[in-house]
Amino acid sequence: MVPTMADLQLTDDVPPVADDGVWLACIECGETFAPFDEIRYTCDHCDGLLEVRYDDLPTFDEFEGSGVWRYNAALPFEKGVTLPEGDTPLHEVPRLKEDIGVDALRVKHEGMNPTGSFKDRGMTVGVRVAQEVGVDRLACASTGNTSAALAAYGARGGMETLVLLPAGKVAAGKIAQASLHRARILEVDGNFDECLDIVQDLAARGEAYLLNSLNPFRLEGQKTIGLEIMEEFYADNGEYPDRIVLPVGNAGNTAALYKCFRELVKAGAITEEQVPKLTGVQAEGAAPMVEAIENGYEDTRRWEDVETRATAIRIGNPVNAPKALPGIRETGGTAVAVSDEEITEAQRDIAGEGVGVEPASAASVAGLRKLRREGEVDSDESVVCLTTGHLLKDPEAAAEAGNEPEPVANSTEAVLDLIEEPSSVTGTIRRQASKAADAPLVPALVASGLGVAYLYRKFRSKE
Ligand code: F0G
């Protein structure tokens, strides 16, 4: 067993600092803190990550209603600042299932939350805590989705929001959201990890309330992804999924899902054997978690230079690694890195089932395909892939991955002429070209494909 420093055991001892059965515990040294008396994000003594703990953990029959707040028996409040969020679809994807070759495959589409990503689940709880502790300025560093969610939930709660983004590396849809929901947007000449360093400094100086996933309350909201998957998959299949595959950036979701499963086991709602294998996927250009899993590291090594088209997960210092690495290891899961080409291919495949996701989300399906091909995932497994953000978050990436619009003259004849041609000439050629692996070849193939298509059309129009 690889050593892990994190102490993620849920104990039965309720410390005197508990408030209505809720407290914070340090996962490194075990120190406990009152949940809302003072603002803290890490342990006062050892700087370890904090986790929210409860004296009473619910089983499935204690949940009622819908959305995130259906699960309030597992959360610190009855209700939060809500838009509302959660209750996202668990899509069947029959062609993809056949193609990848697993027994069952579902796609949990978190892009169907109010602002188009899973971050809403964290914010509905996090902004409620901000009200509880009495702050008026909320802040986050973000690759985009957190900023969109923070801006919307902050607006809903009547609070000022400040977001720090890596300049030039955030998809258009996300900036548009943060902007319209009245966030103050600061574009930093640096990467996401450097933005987070600054926001942590601001929070430590009392300038703003930090709502990145370092804030343990965010993860409480996000653990409801796991509760929804378990309930719905069981209702449809009479069993729980063997594996959950998810994209990893800061590893907040990985940590949140692991906490969800530990609490369900502790409550007696599921057995340890029924815990799905947590399987993380990163882009090759930003894969410190994969490196840590492959090498048996206790913690991740910070990558200073990160790059991927999946800008949402362009992260080199996953702050939740001490919570997430034990989650991957102890559930029998794994972590895998995929190329940008594999991500784009997967984005097209999911879109081919009618489900539109942003590139980072498609990493889960790309990772599953790779692990299945390598024999790490068996054909008799039942799998849920998490897709974390909506296609419209990154319209540029979608347009690049999809079919090219074809110009046509303003007449029915011209349209008929065009649609008689082999379907979507440019798109098909582009798709085949990108499958033809090596980069230098691709532009040449695309260019010659477009040239042929153009000449063909010209020739036909003269007929
Ligand atoms: N997928 C999407 C679409 C994301 O936006 C993020 C993180 C992740 C996956 C990774 O999730 O951090 O829990 O491992 N986005 C953050 C942001 C960093 O600022 O929007 P994680």
Side-chain angles (χ1 to χ4, degrees):
M1 185 70 210
V2 179
T4 58
M5 272 166 57
D7 178 13
L8 294 159
Q9 295 300 317
L10 302 175
T11 64
D12 290 317
D13 310 328
V14 181
V17 292
D19 176 352
D20 211 8
V22 180
W23 68 97
L24 292 169
C26 171
I27 67 160
E28 303 293 350
C29 73
E31 186 64 45
T32 55
F33 303 95
F36 311 118
D37 284 4
E38 280 173 61
I39 295 172
R40 62 170 61 75
Y41 311 98
T42 52
C43 178
D44 295 5
H45 304 291
C46 73
D47 212 28
L49 296 178
L50 300 177
E51 209 171 54
V52 183
R53 299 274 167 89
Y54 304 88
D55 63 348
D56 185 28
L57 294 167
T59 53
F60 288 114
D61 48 15
E62 288 166 64
F63 301 136
E64 56 181 11
S66 69
V68 165
W69 296 98
R70 166 180 173 75
Y71 303 103
N72 59 11
L75 297 172
F77 298 100
E78 285 286 300
K79 190 122 193 174
V81 176
T82 181
L83 283 171
E85 49 292 311
D87 221 352
T88 55
L90 189 64
H91 290 295
E92 295 197 40
V93 284
R95 289 180 293 271
L96 206 48
K97 175 184 91 88
E98 281 304 309
D99 196 34
I100 293 178
V102 283
D103 204 42
L105 178 61
R106 293 292 193 94
V107 168
K108 177 71 169 166
H109 193 17
E110 284 296 296
M112 299 305 285
N113 276 298
T115 78
S117 86
F118 67 91
K119 307 286 181 181
D120 299 345
R121 294 182 188 263
M123 289 305 170
T124 186
V125 178
V127 175
R128 174 69 185 82
V129 177
Q131 289 178 331
E132 189 75 12
V133 295
V135 294
D136 45 26
R137 186 194 281 152
L138 314 176
C140 71
S142 182
T143 56
N145 283 323
T146 303
S147 71
L150 181 73
Y153 282 80
R156 190 76 178 176
M159 294 176 207
E160 189 188 331
T161 55
L162 179 65
V163 306
L164 273 74
L165 310 179
K169 296 293 181 184
V170 177
K174 305 173 188 183
I175 299 188
Q177 289 179 289
S179 155
L180 193 62
H181 290 302
R182 304 187 182 164
R184 183 128 185 224
I185 304 173
L186 305 185
E187 290 194 321
V188 177
D189 178 21
N191 62 30
F192 165 83
D193 305 295
E194 291 161 332
C195 293
L196 186 55
D197 291 342
I198 298 173
V199 172
Q200 279 185 258
D201 272 349
L202 291 178
R205 292 175 196 207
E207 292 293 333
Y209 185 65
L210 177 145
L211 273 168
N212 281 99
S213 56
L214 198 59
N215 184 320
F217 292 104
R218 271 257 325 258
L219 301 188
E220 290 308 289
Q222 287 170 218
K223 83 186 176 191
T224 63
I225 300 173
L227 293 168
E228 278 183 20
I229 289 176
M230 295 298 266
E231 279 197 314
E232 207 176 332
F233 197 92
Y234 192 89
D236 289 354
N237 300 279
E239 57 183 16
Y240 298 108
D242 296 318
R243 188 182 295 271
I244 296 179
V245 186
L246 73 162
V248 174
N250 269 318
N253 272 337
T254 319
L257 286 170
Y258 184 44
K259 184 164 194 280
C260 167
F261 300 140
R262 277 184 289 133
E263 290 183 349
L264 287 174
V265 170
K266 179 86 180 152
I270 61 171
T271 64
E272 268 182 40
E273 291 68 42
Q274 288 172 319
V275 171
K277 298 176 170 68
L278 282 174
T279 301
V281 187
Q282 294 194 296
E284 278 172 356
M289 284 284 289
V290 177
E291 180 186 63
I293 289 290
E294 283 178 354
N295 295 288
Y297 297 163
E298 238 176 56
D299 202 351
T300 46
R301 189 179 61 87
R302 181 170 174 146
W303 287 25
E304 296 299 337
D305 294 312
V306 281
E307 203 48 87
T308 168
R309 280 187 75 227
T311 51
I313 51 172
R314 188 175 170 274
I315 294 173
N317 186 33
V319 287
N320 288 298
K323 291 178 174 176
L325 288 171
I328 291 174
R329 288 177 176 136
E330 277 156 38
T331 60
T334 186
V336 66
V338 291
S339 68
D340 280 4
E341 289 71 31
E342 288 168 320
I343 288 174
T344 303
E345 202 59 43
Q347 193 188 14
R348 289 189 189 114
D349 289 343
I350 307 165
E353 295 270 21
V355 180
V357 308
E358 68 165 290
S361 303
S364 59
V365 170
L368 173 64
R369 190 186 282 287
K370 184 165 179 180
L371 290 170
R372 180 70 198 93
R373 203 171 48 228
E374 290 172 351
E376 279 276 330
V377 170
D378 291 332
S379 59
D380 63 358
E381 286 192 34
S382 58
V383 183
V384 173
C385 282
L386 196 63
T387 55
T388 40
H390 198 276
L391 172 155
L392 291 173
K393 289 283 192 171
D394 192 344
E396 215 173 300
E400 276 172 25
N403 285 351
E404 205 75 56
E406 300 172 56
V408 61
N410 181 3
S411 80
T412 307
E413 284 66 37
V415 171
L416 281 171
D417 251 8
L418 194 58
I419 61 179
E420 272 168 21
E421 289 175 16
S423 80
S424 182
V425 177
T426 51
T428 310
I429 286 175
R430 243 156 46 97
R431 198 164 313 133
Q432 281 163 357
S434 78
K435 265 186 181 158
D438 278 340
L441 253 180
V442 174
L445 273 172
V446 173
S448 58
L450 290 174
V452 169
Y454 175 76
L455 289 174
Y456 175 68
R457 208 172 297 157
K458 250 197 132 137
F459 170 73
R460 286 209 37 144
S461 65
K462 284 211 177 104
E463 267 184 337

